[in-house]
Amino acid sequence: MNFDFSLIISSIPQLLEGLGLTLQLWFISGILGLLLAIALMLMRISGKWFLYAPAMIYIYIFRGTPILVQLFIIYHGLPQVEFIRESFLWVVLREPFGCGILALTLNTGAYVSEILRGGVNGVPKGLGEAGAALGLSKVQRFIYITTPLAVRLAIPAYSNDVISLMKSTALVSTITLLDMMGIARIIVSETYAPYEIFISLMIIYLVITWGTQKAFALFERRMSRHIIQ
Amino acid sequence: MESLTGWWDDFFWGSLIVVEVFLVSLVLMVLFGLLGSAAKLSNSKILQKIANGYTIIFRGTPEILVLLLFYFGSAITLTAIANIFDPSIKFIDINPFWAGSIAIGLVVGSYATETFRGAFLGVDPGQIEAARALGISNFKTFVYIRIPAMWRLALPPFGNHMLSLIKDTALISVIGLQETMFVAEQATANTGEPFVMYLMVGVIYLSFSTIITLSVMGFEKYGNKHLEVGK
């Protein structure tokens, strides 16, 4: 066994060919997941049992099972069900890419909705009461008072979840997709140099994580610019 | 559901392996977490740097990557070492159980490092000073004062780490550990019913995480007993 430093450098361009797919999975499921999370969070704080009960069950199931299991149920399991093959969903589920997006979206939606709920619950009650005293409607209070403050409170936890979503995209290599992880596994099976290839992939992922953390730190600073220290 | 007939025992043994991996990696996670937080809180710059490197690397890369690196990496390293003694050995197959448990123990241990560090910092410094004034040794202070005070603070995030651990065990099927995901794969190949089989795996994991959540709630209640008197 000899450690080949040049292989670390030379494999990076090859691995980066999968970066596009990793980023697509990350951004698309990140945005769809956020929309799902907002819907779930609104259902949970609605105070109506027929809205918060389904949301709670959904969150319980998707946070309680591994994302790999969810991915396999969607990729291997759902095509077996007749009415799904005949429905419009088949357009999405026919491709492993669609399955990956769906699994990542459903999973991250459950986690992010809890983060958003934490943010909303963290806003002091007095502010909402002040809004009510000024004659703002419930919707107005939520949009103009609760939301801007809740966003600021939720950013640190949300950034962690965005990073963990990025890490979860590596799992799509198990359903034949060639993201960076998938390409790395092919190169390793060809060269049999796991250390070099996987370490260069680690470096790429670390750079993405670091960049994301920096971006969120800037965003948080901007959102907190009115706070008097 | 009838397609599950004949597979119940396989799922049972698979679940048992999940529990074994969970327990081994739980011990490793606590160990790495304590070592990491001790290094971060120490006065040594070198130890702090090592611990920072550890948390940055293992929190910033996908679990599956760490797992594959460990599995394939240790296989070729061990083969190379064995070749020094006996050149006829072509390949040593490393046990996926240990490679997997160590890998996820290391990954979740990096999260536990931050949790434990925060919890140790949360212990009132006055209590440590009081112990020192009473002439209690550093070791005894650690065991009888720091640990009982910090575990209550660490418990809620620690519960989340345990949930991550149990869910990460599913990944180890990728390197061929015969746990529930692996059973589902085999059962699918035999029955052609992937939906039922993977749903079964989901139900198993959901029960495990429910048990963990409930036990953490119980521990929290027990740990904060002394706080309820004043209420």
Side-chain angles (χ1 to χ4, degrees), chain A residues 60 63-66 68-69 72-73 76-78 80 111 167 171 181 185 192 195 198 206 209, chain B residues 56 59-62 65 68 73 76-77 91 111 167 171 181 193-195 198 202 205 209-210:
Chain A
Y60 169 65
R63 298 212 321 166
T65 51
L68 191 67
V69 176
F72 276 29
I73 290 178
H76 294 294
L78 286 187
Q80 188 201 338
Y111 282 93
K167 294 195 287 177
L171 293 176
M181 191 72 226
R185 288 171 76 171
Y192 217 71
Y195 280 120
F198 286 145
L206 284 175
T209 306
Chain B
I56 287 171
R59 297 202 318 164
T61 48
L65 176 55
L68 293 175
I76 65 163
T77 308
F91 188 72
Y111 287 90
K167 286 185 277 178
L171 291 177
M181 285 296 273
E193 300 255 355
F195 187 65
Y198 286 113
Y205 274 105
S209 30
T210 307

mmCIF file of all heavy atoms in Angstrom, chain A residues 60 63-66 68-69 72-73 76-78 80 111 167 171 181 185 192 195 198 206 209, chain B residues 56 59-62 65 68 73 76-77 91 111 167 171 181 193-195 198 202 205 209-210:
data_model
loop_
_atom_site.group_PDB
_atom_site.id
_atom_site.type_symbol
_atom_site.label_atom_id
_atom_site.label_comp_id
_atom_site.label_asym_id
_atom_site.label_seq_id
_atom_site.Cartn_x
_atom_site.Cartn_y
_atom_site.Cartn_z
ATOM 1 N N TYR A 60 -43.478 12.941 13.051
ATOM 2 C CA TYR A 60 -43.046 11.803 13.865
ATOM 3 C C TYR A 60 -42.497 10.684 12.983
ATOM 4 O O TYR A 60 -41.417 10.138 13.250
ATOM 5 C CB TYR A 60 -44.258 11.312 14.676
ATOM 6 C CG TYR A 60 -44.075 9.997 15.381
ATOM 7 C CD1 TYR A 60 -43.143 9.858 16.402
ATOM 8 C CD2 TYR A 60 -44.846 8.897 15.029
ATOM 9 C CE1 TYR A 60 -42.990 8.652 17.053
ATOM 10 C CE2 TYR A 60 -44.696 7.687 15.672
ATOM 11 C CZ TYR A 60 -43.765 7.568 16.685
ATOM 12 O OH TYR A 60 -43.612 6.373 17.315
ATOM 13 N N ARG A 63 -39.195 11.885 11.016
ATOM 14 C CA ARG A 63 -38.009 12.096 11.846
ATOM 15 C C ARG A 63 -37.607 10.813 12.561
ATOM 16 O O ARG A 63 -36.497 10.706 13.059
ATOM 17 C CB ARG A 63 -38.261 13.201 12.879
ATOM 18 C CG ARG A 63 -38.558 14.528 12.214
ATOM 19 C CD ARG A 63 -38.093 15.704 12.996
ATOM 20 N NE ARG A 63 -38.286 15.578 14.430
ATOM 21 C CZ ARG A 63 -37.711 16.361 15.308
ATOM 22 N NH1 ARG A 63 -36.899 17.311 14.906
ATOM 23 N NH2 ARG A 63 -37.943 16.218 16.580
ATOM 24 N N GLY A 64 -38.508 9.833 12.596
ATOM 25 C CA GLY A 64 -38.231 8.622 13.353
ATOM 26 C C GLY A 64 -37.641 7.493 12.531
ATOM 27 O O GLY A 64 -37.278 6.465 13.083
ATOM 28 N N THR A 65 -37.566 7.674 11.201
ATOM 29 C CA THR A 65 -37.010 6.607 10.366
ATOM 30 C C THR A 65 -35.800 7.142 9.600
ATOM 31 O O THR A 65 -35.724 8.336 9.314
ATOM 32 C CB THR A 65 -38.063 6.089 9.363
ATOM 33 O OG1 THR A 65 -38.616 7.198 8.674
ATOM 34 C CG2 THR A 65 -39.166 5.340 10.072
ATOM 35 N N PRO A 66 -34.847 6.256 9.269
ATOM 36 C CA PRO A 66 -33.661 6.711 8.545
ATOM 37 C C PRO A 66 -34.023 7.178 7.139
ATOM 38 O O PRO A 66 -34.922 6.604 6.513
ATOM 39 C CB PRO A 66 -32.780 5.459 8.463
ATOM 40 C CG PRO A 66 -33.335 4.505 9.449
ATOM 41 C CD PRO A 66 -34.785 4.825 9.583
ATOM 42 N N LEU A 68 -32.371 6.743 4.538
ATOM 43 C CA LEU A 68 -32.074 5.679 3.571
ATOM 44 C C LEU A 68 -33.289 4.777 3.375
ATOM 45 O O LEU A 68 -33.591 4.357 2.260
ATOM 46 C CB LEU A 68 -30.869 4.859 4.057
ATOM 47 C CG LEU A 68 -30.274 3.895 3.035
ATOM 48 C CD1 LEU A 68 -29.639 4.645 1.889
ATOM 49 C CD2 LEU A 68 -29.259 2.976 3.678
ATOM 50 N N VAL A 69 -34.011 4.492 4.479
ATOM 51 C CA VAL A 69 -35.213 3.667 4.388
ATOM 52 C C VAL A 69 -36.282 4.398 3.577
ATOM 53 O O VAL A 69 -36.935 3.821 2.701
ATOM 54 C CB VAL A 69 -35.742 3.319 5.797
ATOM 55 C CG1 VAL A 69 -37.036 2.544 5.719
ATOM 56 C CG2 VAL A 69 -34.706 2.515 6.574
ATOM 57 N N PHE A 72 -35.399 4.212 -0.045
ATOM 58 C CA PHE A 72 -35.619 2.893 -0.637
ATOM 59 C C PHE A 72 -37.098 2.588 -0.786
ATOM 60 O O PHE A 72 -37.501 1.932 -1.740
ATOM 61 C CB PHE A 72 -34.924 1.808 0.207
ATOM 62 C CG PHE A 72 -33.464 1.643 -0.127
ATOM 63 C CD1 PHE A 72 -32.727 2.713 -0.615
ATOM 64 C CD2 PHE A 72 -32.838 0.422 0.019
ATOM 65 C CE1 PHE A 72 -31.383 2.575 -0.929
ATOM 66 C CE2 PHE A 72 -31.484 0.272 -0.301
ATOM 67 C CZ PHE A 72 -30.764 1.348 -0.772
ATOM 68 N N ILE A 73 -37.933 3.044 0.169
ATOM 69 C CA ILE A 73 -39.376 2.838 0.019
ATOM 70 C C ILE A 73 -39.849 3.560 -1.242
ATOM 71 O O ILE A 73 -40.601 3.020 -2.044
ATOM 72 C CB ILE A 73 -40.154 3.344 1.255
ATOM 73 C CG1 ILE A 73 -39.884 2.437 2.458
ATOM 74 C CG2 ILE A 73 -41.658 3.376 0.975
ATOM 75 C CD1 ILE A 73 -40.553 2.877 3.738
ATOM 76 N N HIS A 76 -37.543 1.804 -4.511
ATOM 77 C CA HIS A 76 -37.813 0.396 -4.787
ATOM 78 C C HIS A 76 -39.276 0.050 -4.557
ATOM 79 O O HIS A 76 -39.830 -0.784 -5.262
ATOM 80 C CB HIS A 76 -36.959 -0.513 -3.875
ATOM 81 C CG HIS A 76 -35.499 -0.428 -4.143
ATOM 82 N ND1 HIS A 76 -34.928 -0.856 -5.307
ATOM 83 C CD2 HIS A 76 -34.482 0.046 -3.393
ATOM 84 C CE1 HIS A 76 -33.619 -0.664 -5.266
ATOM 85 N NE2 HIS A 76 -33.322 -0.105 -4.112
ATOM 86 N N GLY A 77 -39.871 0.656 -3.521
ATOM 87 C CA GLY A 77 -41.196 0.222 -3.077
ATOM 88 C C GLY A 77 -42.351 0.795 -3.877
ATOM 89 O O GLY A 77 -43.219 0.057 -4.340
ATOM 90 N N LEU A 78 -42.379 2.116 -4.073
ATOM 91 C CA LEU A 78 -43.558 2.744 -4.678
ATOM 92 C C LEU A 78 -43.870 2.263 -6.097
ATOM 93 O O LEU A 78 -45.037 2.096 -6.433
ATOM 94 C CB LEU A 78 -43.420 4.278 -4.642
ATOM 95 C CG LEU A 78 -43.613 4.921 -3.271
ATOM 96 C CD1 LEU A 78 -43.622 6.429 -3.387
ATOM 97 C CD2 LEU A 78 -44.914 4.462 -2.619
ATOM 98 N N GLN A 80 -43.931 -0.491 -7.203
ATOM 99 C CA GLN A 80 -44.651 -1.750 -7.124
ATOM 100 C C GLN A 80 -46.162 -1.510 -7.012
ATOM 101 O O GLN A 80 -46.959 -2.363 -7.375
ATOM 102 C CB GLN A 80 -44.140 -2.497 -5.887
ATOM 103 C CG GLN A 80 -44.639 -3.901 -5.746
ATOM 104 C CD GLN A 80 -44.526 -4.357 -4.303
ATOM 105 O OE1 GLN A 80 -43.747 -3.815 -3.526
ATOM 106 N NE2 GLN A 80 -45.319 -5.349 -3.948
ATOM 107 N N TYR A 111 -37.935 17.975 9.418
ATOM 108 C CA TYR A 111 -36.977 18.552 10.366
ATOM 109 C C TYR A 111 -37.098 20.070 10.430
ATOM 110 O O TYR A 111 -37.106 20.663 11.505
ATOM 111 C CB TYR A 111 -35.544 18.176 9.961
ATOM 112 C CG TYR A 111 -35.171 16.772 10.331
ATOM 113 C CD1 TYR A 111 -35.339 15.728 9.448
ATOM 114 C CD2 TYR A 111 -34.670 16.493 11.589
ATOM 115 C CE1 TYR A 111 -35.013 14.430 9.790
ATOM 116 C CE2 TYR A 111 -34.335 15.204 11.949
ATOM 117 C CZ TYR A 111 -34.511 14.176 11.050
ATOM 118 O OH TYR A 111 -34.196 12.904 11.402
ATOM 119 N N LYS A 167 -25.359 16.839 3.167
ATOM 120 C CA LYS A 167 -24.692 15.569 3.426
ATOM 121 C C LYS A 167 -25.585 14.391 3.028
ATOM 122 O O LYS A 167 -25.101 13.375 2.556
ATOM 123 C CB LYS A 167 -24.308 15.468 4.907
ATOM 124 C CG LYS A 167 -23.256 16.505 5.290
ATOM 125 C CD LYS A 167 -22.618 16.179 6.605
ATOM 126 C CE LYS A 167 -23.551 16.434 7.761
ATOM 127 N NZ LYS A 167 -22.963 16.054 9.045
ATOM 128 N N LEU A 171 -26.448 10.105 -0.226
ATOM 129 C CA LEU A 171 -27.112 8.803 -0.176
ATOM 130 C C LEU A 171 -27.703 8.392 -1.515
ATOM 131 O O LEU A 171 -27.954 7.213 -1.734
ATOM 132 C CB LEU A 171 -28.224 8.813 0.884
ATOM 133 C CG LEU A 171 -27.735 8.928 2.314
ATOM 134 C CD1 LEU A 171 -28.918 9.016 3.252
ATOM 135 C CD2 LEU A 171 -26.892 7.727 2.680
ATOM 136 N N MET A 181 -20.503 11.421 -4.696
ATOM 137 C CA MET A 181 -20.297 10.171 -3.968
ATOM 138 C C MET A 181 -20.339 8.979 -4.918
ATOM 139 O O MET A 181 -19.500 8.070 -4.839
ATOM 140 C CB MET A 181 -21.404 10.057 -2.918
ATOM 141 C CG MET A 181 -21.216 8.969 -1.907
ATOM 142 S SD MET A 181 -19.918 9.334 -0.744
ATOM 143 C CE MET A 181 -19.074 7.778 -0.767
ATOM 144 N N ARG A 185 -17.308 6.337 -5.716
ATOM 145 C CA ARG A 185 -17.386 4.887 -5.518
ATOM 146 C C ARG A 185 -16.947 4.145 -6.774
ATOM 147 O O ARG A 185 -16.315 3.091 -6.697
ATOM 148 C CB ARG A 185 -18.805 4.491 -5.112
ATOM 149 C CG ARG A 185 -19.109 4.938 -3.689
ATOM 150 C CD ARG A 185 -20.554 4.753 -3.332
ATOM 151 N NE ARG A 185 -20.888 3.368 -3.056
ATOM 152 C CZ ARG A 185 -22.064 2.989 -2.559
ATOM 153 N NH1 ARG A 185 -22.979 3.898 -2.290
ATOM 154 N NH2 ARG A 185 -22.309 1.728 -2.336
ATOM 155 N N TYR A 192 -8.911 1.151 -6.846
ATOM 156 C CA TYR A 192 -8.699 0.604 -5.516
ATOM 157 C C TYR A 192 -7.772 1.468 -4.674
ATOM 158 O O TYR A 192 -6.802 0.988 -4.077
ATOM 159 C CB TYR A 192 -8.239 -0.862 -5.541
ATOM 160 C CG TYR A 192 -8.876 -1.555 -4.383
ATOM 161 C CD1 TYR A 192 -10.235 -1.814 -4.397
ATOM 162 C CD2 TYR A 192 -8.168 -1.839 -3.239
ATOM 163 C CE1 TYR A 192 -10.866 -2.351 -3.306
ATOM 164 C CE2 TYR A 192 -8.789 -2.376 -2.134
ATOM 165 C CZ TYR A 192 -10.138 -2.636 -2.179
ATOM 166 O OH TYR A 192 -10.767 -3.134 -1.093
ATOM 167 N N TYR A 195 -8.354 5.585 0.154
ATOM 168 C CA TYR A 195 -7.911 6.738 0.944
ATOM 169 C C TYR A 195 -7.851 8.002 0.108
ATOM 170 O O TYR A 195 -8.438 9.029 0.460
ATOM 171 C CB TYR A 195 -6.523 6.470 1.542
ATOM 172 C CG TYR A 195 -6.550 5.609 2.780
ATOM 173 C CD1 TYR A 195 -5.872 4.401 2.814
ATOM 174 C CD2 TYR A 195 -7.257 6.010 3.901
ATOM 175 C CE1 TYR A 195 -5.884 3.601 3.937
ATOM 176 C CE2 TYR A 195 -7.286 5.216 5.029
ATOM 177 C CZ TYR A 195 -6.595 4.018 5.056
ATOM 178 O OH TYR A 195 -6.633 3.240 6.168
ATOM 179 N N PHE A 198 -11.476 9.079 -1.426
ATOM 180 C CA PHE A 198 -12.449 9.514 -0.419
ATOM 181 C C PHE A 198 -11.954 10.745 0.327
ATOM 182 O O PHE A 198 -12.754 11.584 0.752
ATOM 183 C CB PHE A 198 -12.767 8.376 0.554
ATOM 184 C CG PHE A 198 -13.642 7.304 -0.040
ATOM 185 C CD1 PHE A 198 -13.466 5.975 0.306
ATOM 186 C CD2 PHE A 198 -14.646 7.620 -0.940
ATOM 187 C CE1 PHE A 198 -14.282 4.979 -0.241
ATOM 188 C CE2 PHE A 198 -15.455 6.639 -1.493
ATOM 189 C CZ PHE A 198 -15.266 5.318 -1.147
ATOM 190 N N LEU A 206 -16.091 19.405 2.664
ATOM 191 C CA LEU A 206 -15.751 20.353 3.730
ATOM 192 C C LEU A 206 -15.779 21.785 3.225
ATOM 193 O O LEU A 206 -16.221 22.690 3.931
ATOM 194 C CB LEU A 206 -14.370 20.023 4.310
ATOM 195 C CG LEU A 206 -14.327 18.817 5.238
ATOM 196 C CD1 LEU A 206 -12.900 18.504 5.647
ATOM 197 C CD2 LEU A 206 -15.179 19.078 6.476
ATOM 198 N N THR A 209 -19.402 22.802 3.042
ATOM 199 C CA THR A 209 -19.932 23.033 4.390
ATOM 200 C C THR A 209 -19.452 24.375 4.930
ATOM 201 O O THR A 209 -20.235 25.167 5.454
ATOM 202 C CB THR A 209 -19.452 21.923 5.354
ATOM 203 O OG1 THR A 209 -19.805 20.671 4.804
ATOM 204 C CG2 THR A 209 -20.096 22.070 6.715
ATOM 205 N N ILE B 56 -14.609 19.448 12.941
ATOM 206 C CA ILE B 56 -14.848 20.055 11.620
ATOM 207 C C ILE B 56 -14.977 18.961 10.560
ATOM 208 O O ILE B 56 -15.897 18.965 9.746
ATOM 209 C CB ILE B 56 -13.719 21.040 11.260
ATOM 210 C CG1 ILE B 56 -13.846 22.309 12.109
ATOM 211 C CG2 ILE B 56 -13.770 21.399 9.780
ATOM 212 C CD1 ILE B 56 -12.667 23.244 11.994
ATOM 213 N N ARG B 59 -18.181 16.548 11.220
ATOM 214 C CA ARG B 59 -19.497 17.167 11.113
ATOM 215 C C ARG B 59 -19.732 17.712 9.715
ATOM 216 O O ARG B 59 -20.865 18.034 9.367
ATOM 217 C CB ARG B 59 -19.656 18.290 12.144
ATOM 218 C CG ARG B 59 -19.570 17.742 13.562
ATOM 219 C CD ARG B 59 -20.204 18.617 14.575
ATOM 220 N NE ARG B 59 -19.934 20.036 14.401
ATOM 221 C CZ ARG B 59 -20.627 20.965 14.997
ATOM 222 N NH1 ARG B 59 -21.607 20.648 15.786
ATOM 223 N NH2 ARG B 59 -20.309 22.222 14.827
ATOM 224 N N GLY B 60 -18.663 17.823 8.920
ATOM 225 C CA GLY B 60 -18.808 18.464 7.616
ATOM 226 C C GLY B 60 -18.865 17.510 6.438
ATOM 227 O O GLY B 60 -19.042 17.942 5.306
ATOM 228 N N THR B 61 -18.702 16.196 6.695
ATOM 229 C CA THR B 61 -18.731 15.259 5.575
ATOM 230 C C THR B 61 -19.859 14.247 5.777
ATOM 231 O O THR B 61 -20.233 13.963 6.907
ATOM 232 C CB THR B 61 -17.405 14.493 5.457
ATOM 233 O OG1 THR B 61 -17.057 13.993 6.745
ATOM 234 C CG2 THR B 61 -16.294 15.378 4.966
ATOM 235 N N PRO B 62 -20.420 13.731 4.671
ATOM 236 C CA PRO B 62 -21.536 12.785 4.788
ATOM 237 C C PRO B 62 -21.129 11.523 5.549
ATOM 238 O O PRO B 62 -19.996 11.046 5.408
ATOM 239 C CB PRO B 62 -21.859 12.442 3.338
ATOM 240 C CG PRO B 62 -21.290 13.535 2.531
ATOM 241 C CD PRO B 62 -20.097 14.022 3.262
ATOM 242 N N LEU B 65 -19.797 8.626 3.525
ATOM 243 C CA LEU B 65 -18.407 8.771 3.063
ATOM 244 C C LEU B 65 -17.441 8.294 4.146
ATOM 245 O O LEU B 65 -16.489 7.555 3.864
ATOM 246 C CB LEU B 65 -18.155 10.238 2.697
ATOM 247 C CG LEU B 65 -16.752 10.644 2.279
ATOM 248 C CD1 LEU B 65 -16.247 9.796 1.138
ATOM 249 C CD2 LEU B 65 -16.734 12.105 1.876
ATOM 250 N N LEU B 68 -17.604 4.458 4.227
ATOM 251 C CA LEU B 68 -16.897 3.777 3.145
ATOM 252 C C LEU B 68 -15.394 3.939 3.299
ATOM 253 O O LEU B 68 -14.626 3.006 3.061
ATOM 254 C CB LEU B 68 -17.357 4.316 1.787
ATOM 255 C CG LEU B 68 -18.797 3.994 1.410
ATOM 256 C CD1 LEU B 68 -19.179 4.671 0.110
ATOM 257 C CD2 LEU B 68 -19.007 2.499 1.290
ATOM 258 N N GLY B 73 -10.754 1.593 3.598
ATOM 259 C CA GLY B 73 -9.433 2.025 4.061
ATOM 260 C C GLY B 73 -8.825 1.021 5.014
ATOM 261 O O GLY B 73 -7.679 0.595 4.838
ATOM 262 N N ILE B 76 -7.612 -2.238 3.227
ATOM 263 C CA ILE B 76 -6.317 -2.251 2.527
ATOM 264 C C ILE B 76 -5.164 -2.022 3.502
ATOM 265 O O ILE B 76 -4.085 -2.552 3.312
ATOM 266 C CB ILE B 76 -6.238 -1.272 1.330
ATOM 267 C CG1 ILE B 76 -6.338 0.176 1.756
ATOM 268 C CG2 ILE B 76 -7.240 -1.594 0.257
ATOM 269 C CD1 ILE B 76 -5.848 1.113 0.665
ATOM 270 N N THR B 77 -5.406 -1.242 4.570
ATOM 271 C CA THR B 77 -4.331 -1.035 5.545
ATOM 272 C C THR B 77 -3.980 -2.348 6.230
ATOM 273 O O THR B 77 -2.802 -2.716 6.330
ATOM 274 C CB THR B 77 -4.770 -0.011 6.598
ATOM 275 O OG1 THR B 77 -5.242 1.153 5.922
ATOM 276 C CG2 THR B 77 -3.617 0.372 7.506
ATOM 277 N N PHE B 91 -5.982 -10.636 0.548
ATOM 278 C CA PHE B 91 -6.937 -9.614 0.979
ATOM 279 C C PHE B 91 -7.533 -9.987 2.326
ATOM 280 O O PHE B 91 -7.919 -11.138 2.535
ATOM 281 C CB PHE B 91 -8.064 -9.497 -0.051
ATOM 282 C CG PHE B 91 -8.981 -8.342 0.224
ATOM 283 C CD1 PHE B 91 -8.561 -7.042 0.016
ATOM 284 C CD2 PHE B 91 -10.263 -8.562 0.715
ATOM 285 C CE1 PHE B 91 -9.402 -5.987 0.273
ATOM 286 C CE2 PHE B 91 -11.103 -7.496 0.984
ATOM 287 C CZ PHE B 91 -10.658 -6.213 0.752
ATOM 288 N N TYR B 111 -20.501 15.297 17.144
ATOM 289 C CA TYR B 111 -21.607 16.154 17.590
ATOM 290 C C TYR B 111 -21.668 16.158 19.122
ATOM 291 O O TYR B 111 -21.912 17.190 19.747
ATOM 292 C CB TYR B 111 -22.936 15.643 17.021
ATOM 293 C CG TYR B 111 -23.096 15.897 15.553
ATOM 294 C CD1 TYR B 111 -22.664 14.978 14.612
ATOM 295 C CD2 TYR B 111 -23.667 17.077 15.086
ATOM 296 C CE1 TYR B 111 -22.795 15.210 13.250
ATOM 297 C CE2 TYR B 111 -23.810 17.322 13.738
ATOM 298 C CZ TYR B 111 -23.371 16.379 12.826
ATOM 299 O OH TYR B 111 -23.501 16.626 11.489
ATOM 300 N N LYS B 167 -30.539 5.773 13.593
ATOM 301 C CA LYS B 167 -30.886 5.910 12.182
ATOM 302 C C LYS B 167 -29.678 5.677 11.281
ATOM 303 O O LYS B 167 -29.817 5.165 10.171
ATOM 304 C CB LYS B 167 -31.504 7.293 11.932
ATOM 305 C CG LYS B 167 -32.919 7.369 12.463
ATOM 306 C CD LYS B 167 -33.585 8.658 12.142
ATOM 307 C CE LYS B 167 -33.207 9.719 13.125
ATOM 308 N NZ LYS B 167 -33.809 11.011 12.809
ATOM 309 N N LEU B 171 -27.324 2.746 7.469
ATOM 310 C CA LEU B 171 -26.321 2.949 6.425
ATOM 311 C C LEU B 171 -25.360 1.766 6.322
ATOM 312 O O LEU B 171 -24.773 1.524 5.270
ATOM 313 C CB LEU B 171 -25.495 4.202 6.730
ATOM 314 C CG LEU B 171 -26.200 5.536 6.612
ATOM 315 C CD1 LEU B 171 -25.257 6.637 7.010
ATOM 316 C CD2 LEU B 171 -26.669 5.737 5.193
ATOM 317 N N MET B 181 -32.101 -3.566 6.802
ATOM 318 C CA MET B 181 -32.120 -3.133 5.404
ATOM 319 C C MET B 181 -31.664 -4.267 4.497
ATOM 320 O O MET B 181 -32.193 -4.477 3.409
ATOM 321 C CB MET B 181 -31.174 -1.934 5.206
ATOM 322 C CG MET B 181 -31.693 -0.632 5.727
ATOM 323 S SD MET B 181 -33.166 -0.098 4.869
ATOM 324 C CE MET B 181 -32.441 0.785 3.503
ATOM 325 N N GLU B 193 -41.607 -8.037 -3.414
ATOM 326 C CA GLU B 193 -42.507 -7.108 -2.728
ATOM 327 C C GLU B 193 -41.707 -6.042 -1.975
ATOM 328 O O GLU B 193 -41.752 -6.002 -0.740
ATOM 329 C CB GLU B 193 -43.390 -7.859 -1.718
ATOM 330 C CG GLU B 193 -44.256 -8.927 -2.330
ATOM 331 C CD GLU B 193 -45.704 -8.507 -2.424
ATOM 332 O OE1 GLU B 193 -46.042 -7.409 -1.922
ATOM 333 O OE2 GLU B 193 -46.494 -9.258 -3.005
ATOM 334 N N PRO B 194 -40.971 -5.179 -2.685
ATOM 335 C CA PRO B 194 -40.110 -4.212 -1.980
ATOM 336 C C PRO B 194 -40.887 -3.268 -1.070
ATOM 337 O O PRO B 194 -40.412 -2.898 -0.006
ATOM 338 C CB PRO B 194 -39.424 -3.435 -3.111
ATOM 339 C CG PRO B 194 -40.282 -3.649 -4.293
ATOM 340 C CD PRO B 194 -40.890 -4.996 -4.132
ATOM 341 N N PHE B 195 -42.114 -2.898 -1.484
ATOM 342 C CA PHE B 195 -42.867 -1.905 -0.721
ATOM 343 C C PHE B 195 -43.114 -2.399 0.695
ATOM 344 O O PHE B 195 -42.811 -1.720 1.679
ATOM 345 C CB PHE B 195 -44.190 -1.607 -1.431
ATOM 346 C CG PHE B 195 -44.961 -0.478 -0.824
ATOM 347 C CD1 PHE B 195 -44.450 0.811 -0.844
ATOM 348 C CD2 PHE B 195 -46.193 -0.701 -0.219
ATOM 349 C CE1 PHE B 195 -45.149 1.855 -0.284
ATOM 350 C CE2 PHE B 195 -46.894 0.355 0.354
ATOM 351 C CZ PHE B 195 -46.366 1.631 0.309
ATOM 352 N N TYR B 198 -39.599 -2.845 2.769
ATOM 353 C CA TYR B 198 -38.960 -1.622 3.263
ATOM 354 C C TYR B 198 -39.861 -0.892 4.256
ATOM 355 O O TYR B 198 -39.374 -0.230 5.174
ATOM 356 C CB TYR B 198 -38.538 -0.716 2.100
ATOM 357 C CG TYR B 198 -37.323 -1.262 1.394
ATOM 358 C CD1 TYR B 198 -37.385 -1.724 0.092
ATOM 359 C CD2 TYR B 198 -36.095 -1.341 2.063
ATOM 360 C CE1 TYR B 198 -36.270 -2.247 -0.532
ATOM 361 C CE2 TYR B 198 -34.975 -1.865 1.444
ATOM 362 C CZ TYR B 198 -35.064 -2.319 0.153
ATOM 363 O OH TYR B 198 -33.959 -2.848 -0.455
ATOM 364 N N GLY B 202 -39.041 0.378 8.007
ATOM 365 C CA GLY B 202 -39.445 1.674 8.547
ATOM 366 C C GLY B 202 -40.138 1.524 9.885
ATOM 367 O O GLY B 202 -39.857 2.267 10.835
ATOM 368 N N TYR B 205 -37.583 0.723 12.639
ATOM 369 C CA TYR B 205 -36.823 1.897 13.073
ATOM 370 C C TYR B 205 -37.689 2.876 13.852
ATOM 371 O O TYR B 205 -37.234 3.499 14.813
ATOM 372 C CB TYR B 205 -36.159 2.594 11.871
ATOM 373 C CG TYR B 205 -34.832 1.974 11.540
ATOM 374 C CD1 TYR B 205 -34.676 1.154 10.440
ATOM 375 C CD2 TYR B 205 -33.722 2.191 12.350
ATOM 376 C CE1 TYR B 205 -33.461 0.567 10.145
ATOM 377 C CE2 TYR B 205 -32.502 1.615 12.066
ATOM 378 C CZ TYR B 205 -32.381 0.806 10.967
ATOM 379 O OH TYR B 205 -31.178 0.225 10.685
ATOM 380 N N SER B 209 -36.890 4.337 17.536
ATOM 381 C CA SER B 209 -36.756 5.749 17.907
ATOM 382 C C SER B 209 -37.809 6.153 18.919
ATOM 383 O O SER B 209 -37.559 7.034 19.748
ATOM 384 C CB SER B 209 -36.744 6.681 16.695
ATOM 385 O OG SER B 209 -37.467 6.184 15.641
ATOM 386 N N THR B 210 -38.989 5.511 18.868
ATOM 387 C CA THR B 210 -40.005 5.800 19.888
ATOM 388 C C THR B 210 -39.493 5.388 21.270
ATOM 389 O O THR B 210 -39.634 6.138 22.249
ATOM 390 C CB THR B 210 -41.314 5.058 19.571
ATOM 391 O OG1 THR B 210 -41.693 5.364 18.239
ATOM 392 C CG2 THR B 210 -42.413 5.466 20.523
#
